[in-house]
mmCIF file of all heavy atoms in Angstrom:
data_model
loop_
_atom_site.group_PDB
_atom_site.id
_atom_site.type_symbol
_atom_site.label_atom_id
_atom_site.label_comp_id
_atom_site.label_asym_id
_atom_site.label_seq_id
_atom_site.Cartn_x
_atom_site.Cartn_y
_atom_site.Cartn_z
ATOM 1 N N PRO A 258 14.960 -7.473 17.100
ATOM 2 C CA PRO A 258 15.811 -8.462 16.532
ATOM 3 C C PRO A 258 16.802 -7.789 15.502
ATOM 4 O O PRO A 258 16.325 -7.094 14.599
ATOM 5 C CB PRO A 258 14.867 -9.467 15.867
ATOM 6 C CG PRO A 258 13.630 -9.320 16.588
ATOM 7 C CD PRO A 258 13.471 -7.844 16.957
ATOM 8 N N GLY A 259 18.076 -8.069 15.718
ATOM 9 C CA GLY A 259 19.054 -7.586 14.802
ATOM 10 C C GLY A 259 19.636 -6.211 15.135
ATOM 11 O O GLY A 259 20.637 -5.771 14.537
ATOM 12 N N ALA A 260 19.035 -5.562 16.099
ATOM 13 C CA ALA A 260 19.597 -4.221 16.553
ATOM 14 C C ALA A 260 20.545 -4.447 17.722
ATOM 15 O O ALA A 260 20.168 -4.910 18.780
ATOM 16 C CB ALA A 260 18.457 -3.315 16.967
ATOM 17 N N PRO A 261 21.847 -4.166 17.503
ATOM 18 C CA PRO A 261 22.820 -4.506 18.603
ATOM 19 C C PRO A 261 22.653 -3.686 19.847
ATOM 20 O O PRO A 261 22.459 -2.456 19.829
ATOM 21 C CB PRO A 261 24.169 -4.171 17.891
ATOM 22 C CG PRO A 261 23.856 -3.202 16.833
ATOM 23 C CD PRO A 261 22.494 -3.577 16.349
ATOM 24 N N GLY A 262 22.645 -4.405 20.979
ATOM 25 C CA GLY A 262 22.648 -3.790 22.297
ATOM 26 C C GLY A 262 21.391 -3.028 22.710
ATOM 27 O O GLY A 262 21.355 -2.361 23.739
ATOM 28 N N TRP A 263 20.267 -3.230 22.003
ATOM 29 C CA TRP A 263 19.128 -2.406 22.222
ATOM 30 C C TRP A 263 18.511 -2.676 23.608
ATOM 31 O O TRP A 263 17.875 -1.778 24.210
ATOM 32 C CB TRP A 263 18.047 -2.591 21.163
ATOM 33 C CG TRP A 263 17.427 -3.987 21.176
ATOM 34 C CD1 TRP A 263 17.895 -5.112 20.631
ATOM 35 C CD2 TRP A 263 16.193 -4.353 21.866
ATOM 36 N NE1 TRP A 263 17.071 -6.170 20.846
ATOM 37 C CE2 TRP A 263 15.989 -5.753 21.604
ATOM 38 C CE3 TRP A 263 15.235 -3.625 22.579
ATOM 39 C CZ2 TRP A 263 14.920 -6.434 22.106
ATOM 40 C CZ3 TRP A 263 14.147 -4.337 23.077
ATOM 41 C CH2 TRP A 263 13.998 -5.707 22.792
ATOM 42 N N ASP A 264 18.643 -3.925 24.111
ATOM 43 C CA ASP A 264 18.050 -4.262 25.414
ATOM 44 C C ASP A 264 19.045 -4.198 26.559
ATOM 45 O O ASP A 264 18.691 -4.634 27.661
ATOM 46 C CB ASP A 264 17.387 -5.670 25.296
ATOM 47 C CG ASP A 264 16.325 -5.858 26.307
ATOM 48 O OD1 ASP A 264 15.800 -4.809 26.837
ATOM 49 O OD2 ASP A 264 15.969 -7.010 26.577
ATOM 50 N N GLY A 265 20.252 -3.716 26.289
ATOM 51 C CA GLY A 265 21.251 -3.707 27.322
ATOM 52 C C GLY A 265 21.098 -2.482 28.255
ATOM 53 O O GLY A 265 20.241 -1.602 28.021
ATOM 54 N N GLY A 266 21.962 -2.405 29.268
ATOM 55 C CA GLY A 266 21.857 -1.363 30.246
ATOM 56 C C GLY A 266 22.109 -0.009 29.698
ATOM 57 O O GLY A 266 21.621 1.002 30.235
ATOM 58 N N ALA A 267 22.833 0.132 28.602
ATOM 59 C CA ALA A 267 23.147 1.447 28.021
ATOM 60 C C ALA A 267 21.969 2.002 27.162
ATOM 61 O O ALA A 267 21.971 3.145 26.791
ATOM 62 C CB ALA A 267 24.367 1.331 27.126
ATOM 63 N N VAL A 268 20.946 1.157 26.862
ATOM 64 C CA VAL A 268 19.824 1.627 26.065
ATOM 65 C C VAL A 268 18.575 1.476 26.861
ATOM 66 O O VAL A 268 18.150 2.444 27.489
ATOM 67 C CB VAL A 268 19.759 0.885 24.726
ATOM 68 C CG1 VAL A 268 18.663 1.459 23.815
ATOM 69 C CG2 VAL A 268 21.120 0.914 23.994
ATOM 70 N N LEU A 269 17.904 0.367 26.866
ATOM 71 C CA LEU A 269 16.617 0.204 27.532
ATOM 72 C C LEU A 269 16.655 -0.501 28.881
ATOM 73 O O LEU A 269 15.810 -0.331 29.724
ATOM 74 C CB LEU A 269 15.656 -0.549 26.617
ATOM 75 C CG LEU A 269 15.227 0.166 25.334
ATOM 76 C CD1 LEU A 269 14.135 -0.639 24.679
ATOM 77 C CD2 LEU A 269 14.730 1.574 25.574
#
Side-chain angles (χ1 to χ4, degrees):
W263 69 276
D264 204 19
V268 185
L269 294 187

